[in-house]
Amino acid sequence: MSKELKASSLKVQTFLSDRGKDFVVQQMPSSTRTAKEAADAIGCTVSQIAKSLIFKHSETGEPVLVVASGTNMVCSNKVKDATGIVLKKADAAFVRDKVGYAIGGVPPVAHNEKIHTILDKDLQKYSEIWAAAGTPNSVFKLNPKHLGELTHGEWIDLAQ
């Protein structure tokens, strides 16, 4: 794994360091764009990958971040029932503009603006999870407790 971080990953590392966290962003030698690729590169289960998915809030048009376990599909009805938010699909340009990262490298933190965040309760089953860190081949390790603290997200059952 390479020690030199790209600008997007450095933004994530700075965010984490500024909050007193000892997390280390790692550039992996292979792709971590999908949950399966990330798990293979890291050597963990796909369920331990905290995938960051950006949606549009149907009423406000604002971004909504859903951080889901790598094996879970997001059930929009469960999200609506738990939060009142109707999720709409967001395209790549919206994600880049509102969040500051390209799809495949979206981290759960260090966004361009404050984002309403919903967290998958299934991630709480693990003592160690991995999240994207700004590029399609950078990640960082954390535990679910820290994910909640860093994102101020709401934990719900969201799996299909």
Side-chain angles (χ1 to χ4, degrees):
M1 110 189 75
S2 170
K3 298 269 186 212
E4 192 173 320
L5 296 179
K6 295 180 180 174
S8 293
S9 295
L10 188 56
K11 181 179 173 183
V12 174
Q13 182 65 68
T14 300
F15 176 94
L16 295 168
S17 297
D18 286 352
R19 279 144 188 87
K21 303 298 179 192
D22 292 331
F23 305 120
V24 178
V25 171
Q26 301 173 32
Q27 288 287 132
M28 304 303 283
S30 57
S31 174
T32 58
R33 180 179 294 275
T34 68
K36 172 78 170 105
E37 288 174 346
D40 289 347
I42 294 161
C44 67
T45 67
V46 177
S47 297
Q48 287 176 276
I49 301 300
K51 59 184 179 184
S52 295
L53 307 168
I54 300 294
F55 294 91
K56 257 188 204 180
H57 189 299
S58 67
E59 290 180 19
T60 67
E62 292 301 311
V64 176
L65 169 65
V66 176
V67 182
S69 173
T71 53
N72 287 350
M73 297 280 294
V74 176
C75 177
S76 57
N77 287 334
K78 284 185 177 181
V79 171
K80 180 184 175 193
D81 291 345
T83 67
I85 296 172
V86 175
L87 299 175
K88 286 178 59 180
K89 192 172 189 168
D91 65 23
F94 177 86
V95 174
R96 168 78 75 185
D97 179 54
K98 294 290 190 176
V99 183
Y101 303 93
I103 293 172
V106 175
V109 297
H111 306 122
N112 284 349
E113 57 186 66
K114 186 173 166 58
I115 297 178
H116 185 97
T117 302
I118 300 164
L119 305 172
D120 183 350
K121 285 174 72 169
D122 284 352
L123 289 168
Q124 294 176 317
K125 297 176 186 175
Y126 304 98
S127 59
E128 181 179 279
I129 58 176
W130 293 82
T135 70
N137 66 335
S138 61
V139 293
F140 69 101
K141 178 174 60 174
L142 71 163
N143 66 45
K145 178 182 174 221
H146 288 130
L147 178 64
E149 291 170 0
L150 291 167
T151 64
H152 305 287
E154 175 183 2
W155 294 98
I156 68 168
D157 173 16
L158 56 75
Q160 255 184 357

